[in-house]
C-alpha cells in the first residue's frame, strides 16, 4: 500500500515539474459512493499530456460510517485519463477511464463478543465522464464514474479545480 502511494506521489510530482503550465489544475471535491452509501472528501489534479488529453490522479476518503456496532473506513486512489471531446470558452466535457485502488477496513467492538478488525484492498477500473465550467483561474466541475470492482460502485463528485 505504501509503495502504491509513493509511486502515485512520484508520478504526480514529475508531471508537475515537466508540465507546469496554465492548463495544470489542482482541486478539492466532495463525492458520494453508492456502495458505501456515504459522502467522501477528496483531492484531484489534472496534468495535460496532449491536446484534449490529461492525466488526472485523485484521492477520495469516505467519512467513517458506523452501523449496528460495526465501523467502516473506506478510501480510494484513482489514476484516470480524461479525454476532452467538447471544449468551448466556458465549458468542457470529457470522458474518463482509468485505474482504481479501493481499501476498506471494518472493525467491530463488543463487550460480549470482543473485538474484530479486517481490511481489504482491491484494484478496479473507472469509466465515466465529467464537465468543467471554466471561470478563469477557478474551474467548478462535476463528475460521474462507475468503478468496476467486486460489487461495483457509482461515484458522483463535484468540486473546484484551481489553475496553476
Amino acid at each position: 500500500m505504501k509503495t502504491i502511494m509513493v509511486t502515485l506521489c512520484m508520478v504526480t510530482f514529475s508531471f508537475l515539474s515537466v508540465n507546469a503550465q496554465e492548463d495544470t489544475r489542482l482541486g478539492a471535491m466532495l463525492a458520494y459512493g453508492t456502495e458505501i452509501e456515504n459522502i467522501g472528501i477528496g483531492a484531484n489534479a489534472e496534468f495535460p499530456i496532449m491536446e484534449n488529453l490529461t492525466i488526472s490522479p485523485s484521492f477520495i476518503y469516505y467519512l467513517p460510517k458506523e452501523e449496528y456496532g460495526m465501523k467502516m473506513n473506506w478510501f480510494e486512489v484513482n489514476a484516470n485519463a480524461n479525454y476532452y471531446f467538447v471544449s468551448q470558452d466556458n465549458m468542457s466535457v470529457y470522458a474518463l477511464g482509468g485505474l482504481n485502488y479501493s481499501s476498506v477496513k471494518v472493525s467491530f467492538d463488543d463487550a460480549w463478543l470482543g473485538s474484530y478488525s479486517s481490511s481489504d484492498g482491491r484494484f478496479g477500473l473507472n469509466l465515466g465522464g465529467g464537465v468543467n465550467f471554466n471561470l478563469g483561474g477557478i474551474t467548478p466541475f462535476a463528475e460521474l464514474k462507475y468503478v468496476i470492482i467486486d460489487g461495483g460502485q457509482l461515484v458522483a463528485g463535484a468540486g473546484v479545480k484551481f489553475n496553476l
Side-chain angles (χ1 to χ4, degrees), residues 2 4 19 26-27 46 70 72 74 100 104 121 126 141-142 156:
K2 290 180 184 177
I4 293 170
N19 237 345
L26 295 176
E46 271 192 307
M70 292 192 347
M72 183 185 312
W74 183 315
N100 170 282
V104 178
N126 294 324
F141 73 96

Side-chain angles (χ1 to χ4, degrees), residues 26-163:
L26 295 176
M29 64 189 292
L30 290 176
Y32 178 81
T34 59
E35 181 68 19
I36 190 172
E37 297 179 345
N38 209 0
I39 293 174
I41 56 174
N44 62 356
E46 271 192 307
F47 306 103
I49 57 171
M50 292 173 47
E51 187 175 349
N52 297 336
L53 185 64
T54 63
I55 299 295
S56 182
S58 67
F59 175 82
I60 301 173
Y61 176 76
Y62 294 95
L63 300 177
K65 184 175 183 177
E66 191 165 340
E67 287 184 348
Y68 308 110
M70 292 192 347
K71 186 176 182 182
M72 183 185 312
N73 289 307
W74 183 315
F75 73 86
E76 64 180 64
V77 178
N78 301 288
N80 295 323
N82 296 348
Y83 179 76
Y84 287 87
F85 56 90
V86 173
S87 290
Q88 297 179 349
D89 289 339
N90 57 359
M91 185 182 81
S92 51
V93 180
Y94 60 91
L96 74 82
L99 298 174
N100 170 282
Y101 176 78
S102 293
S103 176
V104 178
K105 180 180 179 184
V106 177
S107 57
F108 177 78
D109 193 18
D110 185 72
W112 296 96
L113 301 174
S115 298
Y116 174 77
S117 178
S118 179
S119 62
D120 190 21
R122 300 281 167 106
F123 286 96
L125 297 174
N126 294 324
L127 293 174
V131 61
N132 289 335
F133 302 99
N134 305 316
L135 303 176
I138 185 169
T139 306
F141 73 96
E143 191 172 274
L144 185 66
K145 71 177 179 182
Y146 186 75
V147 182
I148 302 170
I149 201 167
D150 292 345
Q153 174 164 253
L154 185 65
V155 178
V160 64
K161 299 174 194 172
F162 300 95
N163 296 344

